[in-house]
Amino acid sequence: MAAPTFADVVPIKRISSHQYSISLEDEWCIGSVPNGGYVTSSFLVVARTHMSQTHSTRSEPHPVNLHLEFLRRTSVGEAIFTVQDVKLGSRISNLHITLSQPKHPGDTVREDKAQGYITMSNIATEEGLSLDTEYTLSSPQALPVNLPILGANNLDENYTIRPADPFPQFRRAAQCIQIFLVRPDKRGPSRPKSIIDQWVRFSPKGVPNGRWTNDALGFLVDMFPQIVESYINPESEDAALGAQSQQQRRDSTKKPKVNGGRPFWYPTLVLNLDVKKLLPEEGVEWLFVRVRAKAVKNGRFDLDIEVWDETNELVATSTHASLIVDASRNIAGRSRSKTSKKNNDSKL
């Protein structure tokens, strides 16, 4: 049996030539809200399906650029994706896609939850000027890795597995990816808290048997240890990685807790994705991701993400604009399985 890919976890139904349905599932949620990266990858699947089925003669099956704006909280359940063909070209086509859901359970009227523009092309047949810019990851350099040893033993000389998210019941989507971080004894002063390096494997249903394809890039660029937490709650991450002594763990319980010890929620406002490389159709086991934040200020922060493969080729880049809010904003007016009629989805 082939290893599962992202297309296997988001079965898509074609309603008409320009409308599609995907069921957003609870296991991919942060709190009560489907993870933004999971939703982004759903947009990628819709765009690929649309060009492959409705415009099959154009041979432009690959999203190469995406700009997505999250207008309101999405919900578990059916999501309708409506596609507008903004421009159909011989090499590049542009789609506008809207995700809509009922404001309240049982409503017949839907409201827009997210909208995006996606540029479609055929990465496999692209031609044109190519130059070696000698671009590499900026300082600090990525530490070398032995992936066979890392996969077999959950650690190698420089990386170790991140056993679990500090808030696993709240960040359920984090169980669908296996993350390996730089070992605490290898971090050093040259690696600021504002940068996270990770090797990752796709783990649908918590089993690391999946493979990364281009469909999954949206999810991949939105799933990592939260940089804000490395500043305000470093004890949880260090404890998970075994970096704390018993005395440090005892001392950490005496420190004042940011936000009263409650988890934060980091909703994405805008996500941009630029795809540089087409991964194999059957997918790859490992990808490297660097996440960097430049400024965290007044409850807003930015993220720059780079995705690299085992051959040291750049696969994709992404930028985010995000908020920092109390986790109660995520679940306000909702339960895990049902949305209250009192919910005001105009608020994040």
Side-chain angles (χ1 to χ4, degrees):
M1 181 181 295
T5 67
F6 198 86
D8 296 312
V9 301
V10 285
I12 182 172
K13 297 179 182 178
R14 189 171 189 254
I15 299 172
S16 68
S17 64
H18 287 72
Q19 202 166 66
Y20 305 84
S21 171
I22 290 178
S23 177
L24 303 181
E25 301 297 333
D26 179 80
E27 66 189 273
W28 297 88
C29 282
I30 305 296
S32 65
V33 181
N35 166 251
Y38 167 63
V39 172
T40 300
S41 275
S42 297
F43 271 81
L44 296 177
V45 171
V46 169
R48 174 178 57 77
T49 302
H50 179 69
M51 293 304 296
S52 298
Q53 295 187 6
T54 299
H55 302 295
S56 58
T57 60
R58 293 189 174 275
S59 188
E60 296 164 357
H62 306 134
V64 296
N65 192 274
L66 170 145
H67 171 84
L68 187 59
E69 299 203 7
F70 295 88
L71 308 176
R72 300 175 178 88
R73 295 178 295 178
T74 54
S75 303
V76 170
E78 184 185 44
I80 300 297
F81 294 80
T82 303
V83 183
Q84 176 188 357
D85 299 328
V86 178
K87 187 206 76 173
L88 297 175
S90 58
R91 175 180 174 180
I92 296 289
S93 291
N94 302 91
L95 307 177
H96 178 267
I97 303 179
T98 300
L99 184 166
S100 63
Q101 291 181 306
K103 184 173 183 178
H104 305 298
D107 286 356
T108 57
V109 177
R110 295 176 175 269
E111 63 178 1
D112 296 345
K113 299 296 184 72
Q115 295 187 1
Y117 281 93
I118 302 182
T119 304
M120 305 296 296
S121 186
N122 191 323
I123 302 176
T125 61
E126 281 183 324
E127 295 180 345
L129 179 66
S130 297
L131 300 171
D132 182 6
T133 64
E134 301 182 19
Y135 177 75
T136 59
L137 283 170
S138 57
S139 180
Q141 293 296 312
L143 295 175
V145 66
N146 187 320
L147 292 176
I149 290 178
L150 190 64
N153 302 321
N154 287 338
L155 81 162
D156 74 348
E157 183 180 354
N158 292 313
Y159 296 88
T160 185
I161 193 170
R162 184 181 192 240
D165 192 273
F167 302 102
Q169 293 306 311
F170 184 74
R171 290 173 50 83
R172 296 185 299 287
Q175 314 311 309
C176 297
I177 184 172
Q178 191 177 51
I179 294 174
F180 297 82
L181 300 172
V182 175
R183 289 172 51 164
D185 59 322
K186 299 291 184 176
R187 287 202 284 241
S190 65
R191 296 186 174 274
K193 294 180 180 180
S194 60
I195 293 178
I196 292 175
D197 284 352
Q198 57 183 33
W199 282 94
V200 292
R201 293 198 289 192
F202 187 39
S203 304
K205 299 187 181 299
V207 181
N209 64 344
R211 294 294 182 268
W212 298 113
T213 63
N214 283 56
D215 284 341
L217 290 177
F219 174 67
L220 177 62
V221 300
D222 195 35
M223 189 50 61
F224 35 78
Q226 290 293 335
I227 286 177
V228 172
E229 295 288 330
S230 68
Y231 287 89
I232 65 174
N233 189 28
E235 294 85 5
S236 292
E237 196 68 47
D238 286 345
L241 293 174
Q244 284 187 317
S245 67
Q246 286 187 339
Q247 183 61 47
Q248 286 174 317
R249 285 193 285 273
R250 285 194 294 269
D251 291 344
S252 70
T253 63
K254 302 175 184 178
K255 296 179 181 179
K257 298 296 184 181
V258 177
N259 202 39
R262 300 187 305 274
F264 279 111
W265 178 38
Y266 307 97
T268 304
L269 295 175
V270 177
L271 188 153
N272 295 290
L273 176 68
D274 188 24
V275 180
K276 307 293 188 181
K277 180 178 180 177
L278 182 64
L279 296 173
E281 184 176 349
E282 68 277 12
V284 297
E285 181 178 5
W286 293 97
L287 287 173
F288 176 86
V289 182
R290 169 167 288 182
V291 186
R292 181 193 297 264
K294 298 189 185 76
V296 181
K297 189 173 182 179
N298 296 328
R300 291 192 296 115
F301 67 105
D302 61 272
L303 291 173
D304 282 340
I305 296 102
E306 298 182 27
V307 181
W308 298 75
D309 66 9
E310 292 183 55
T311 66
N312 204 32
E313 283 196 68
L314 186 62
V315 176
T317 62
S318 181
T319 59
H320 300 203
S322 301
L323 293 179
I324 305 168
V325 298
D326 190 280
S328 62
R329 300 282 294 278
N330 173 293
I331 59 177
R334 297 185 177 195
S335 67
R336 287 268 301 269
S337 60
K338 185 176 181 180
T339 304
S340 167
K341 296 265 185 182
K342 298 179 180 179
N343 178 36
N344 181 358
D345 277 320
S346 66
K347 297 179 180 179
L348 284 171

